[in-house]
Amino acid sequence: MANAAVYYGFQIGKETTPGTGVTAAKQITGMTIAPAAATETKPFRPGGNKYNTTGGVNKAWGIASLSGQLNLAEVIYPLCGLIKNAAPTGAGPYTWVFTSNPNSADSIAQYTVQAGSTGFPVFKMAGATFSDWVLSADNSGANFTAKMFGQKPAAAELWTPSGTMDTVSATLPIVGVYRPHQTLKIATTYAGLAGATATPFASFKFGIEGKIKPVWMSNGASNYTDTVEDAPKVSPGMTLELSNTNAAYYANARNGDVLFMRYAAVVGTASITIDCAGYISGTPEPKSQDGVMAMDLSFEGIADSNMNYAPYKITVVNGVAAL
């Protein structure tokens, strides 16, 4: 029988020593993952010849693209891997707070990830490190995309024929976010978010992109030698009705005012709160959105003392006690 996509699974395990593989014992059902072995080859074309005559592998590593519906039980995995290896507080529900250090490296979680189905090719990658996470919310609910990279998969773990998935110790629950769960608040001060009236929105986006990357020092091997943090792109954005109230944001854009935003999704006792700050960039041109005149607002993230001198702070409450 063919390798059925419906049984294709994704499992993950938090590493004790970054880059040293562990059993990927947690089953992730709210994300899909598309992993691959990446290579950079370098050909050689000798003088007097118009064709390459030889070449070799210059770099080799693992990559993966992830996507799915926002799941409040599983979202801690990319956030711990990208922003901060947070320690939850409470006795259940548990509170996970994600803040970033503005002038020193964040301590992050790294993972071993596995994809496939037993009896068919299975892929496994150690040292899996998140580099990007982007949330998109609209009237269909909330979804995300993410990127990660990792160590070059060993020959025995590179889509192993007739492979075996690791034994699952736990499957995280699905706590999905839909339209009725979401609110967005906007204020001119951080303190003002608490008493602000929720603003109806057509869409909201928040992303952290390019925060961590591999280091390619020469060391007699094709794998990368380390990871390093970079200045990430922090890009809140939203589409709102061009109403009498929202038209005031044109003046904020002209004046370069910093605005504060709070996206929240509450599902029973679980929740996510994304606080962020920024000034409006570009020109918020009016447009038609589902028959309503609307405006797109794109922001450049601005650090604020209320968020540990970073442009964002994310708080997740769920029933998960540990990664």
Side-chain angles (χ1 to χ4, degrees):
M1 188 172 289
N3 186 359
V6 71
Y7 302 124
Y8 179 87
F10 172 29
Q11 295 175 203
I12 196 168
K14 181 184 176 183
E15 294 176 351
T16 303
T17 302
T20 300
V22 298
T23 301
K26 294 286 184 70
Q27 187 174 41
I28 303 295
T29 59
M31 305 183 201
T32 59
I33 183 171
T39 57
E40 178 191 276
T41 57
K42 191 170 184 178
F44 182 85
R45 182 179 62 83
N49 196 322
K50 63 184 177 183
Y51 299 115
N52 298 327
T53 59
T54 186
V57 174
N58 197 46
K59 298 177 181 178
W61 70 109
I63 58 173
S65 298
L66 302 96
S67 62
Q69 183 178 349
L70 180 64
N71 179 2
L72 300 184
E74 295 176 349
V75 69
I76 55 176
Y77 279 87
L79 298 183
C80 281
L82 180 64
I83 302 174
K84 175 184 178 181
N85 185 18
T89 60
Y94 304 93
T95 300
W96 302 72
V97 180
F98 300 94
T99 56
S100 178
N101 295 318
N103 48 25
S104 61
D106 294 312
S107 175
I108 59 167
Q110 289 176 284
Y111 306 104
T112 296
V113 297
Q114 189 179 43
S117 56
T118 295
F120 292 96
V122 170
F123 182 99
K124 196 169 189 179
M125 178 173 69
T129 304
F130 280 93
S131 61
D132 303 62
W133 183 76
V134 178
L135 168 81
S136 300
D138 55 26
N139 61 12
S140 67
N143 300 280
F144 79 96
T145 59
K147 294 179 182 178
M148 60 167 44
F149 63 88
Q151 298 288 332
K152 177 178 69 175
E157 298 173 340
L158 180 58
W159 293 116
T160 310
S162 302
T164 301
M165 297 290 285
D166 290 343
T167 300
V168 173
S169 65
T171 300
L172 295 177
I174 297 293
V175 187
V177 172
Y178 302 97
R179 176 176 169 270
H181 303 140
Q182 306 176 117
T183 58
L184 177 65
K185 294 183 177 182
I186 307 170
T188 55
T189 65
Y190 185 83
L193 287 172
T197 301
T199 299
F201 64 96
S203 65
F204 173 78
K205 176 185 175 183
F206 174 81
I208 304 170
E209 300 173 86
K211 185 173 184 284
I212 306 172
K213 63 183 182 181
V215 175
W216 298 98
M217 298 291 182
S218 295
N219 68 337
S222 58
N223 211 341
Y224 59 84
T225 53
D226 207 344
T227 61
V228 68
E229 284 195 333
D230 205 349
K233 178 184 176 182
V234 179
S235 53
M238 64 191 71
T239 300
L240 306 177
E241 179 188 353
L242 180 54
S243 65
N244 290 328
T245 299
N246 294 338
Y249 295 128
Y250 282 105
N252 294 127
R254 181 188 58 202
N255 297 333
D257 298 330
V258 173
L259 296 177
F260 294 82
M261 295 149 275
R262 175 170 291 166
Y263 168 84
V266 180
V267 185
T269 59
S271 64
I272 185 170
T273 303
I274 300 176
D275 291 341
C276 50
Y279 64 84
I280 299 171
S281 61
T283 304
E285 296 181 354
K287 67 176 188 178
S288 175
Q289 176 89 20
D290 296 330
V292 175
M293 289 306 299
M295 57 197 300
D296 287 331
L297 301 179
S298 299
F299 291 80
E300 290 286 344
I302 295 293
D304 185 80
S305 60
N306 293 285
M307 298 178 287
N308 198 43
Y309 295 94
Y312 57 86
K313 174 183 177 182
I314 301 178
T315 304
V316 176
V317 178
N318 61 23
V320 183
L323 293 175

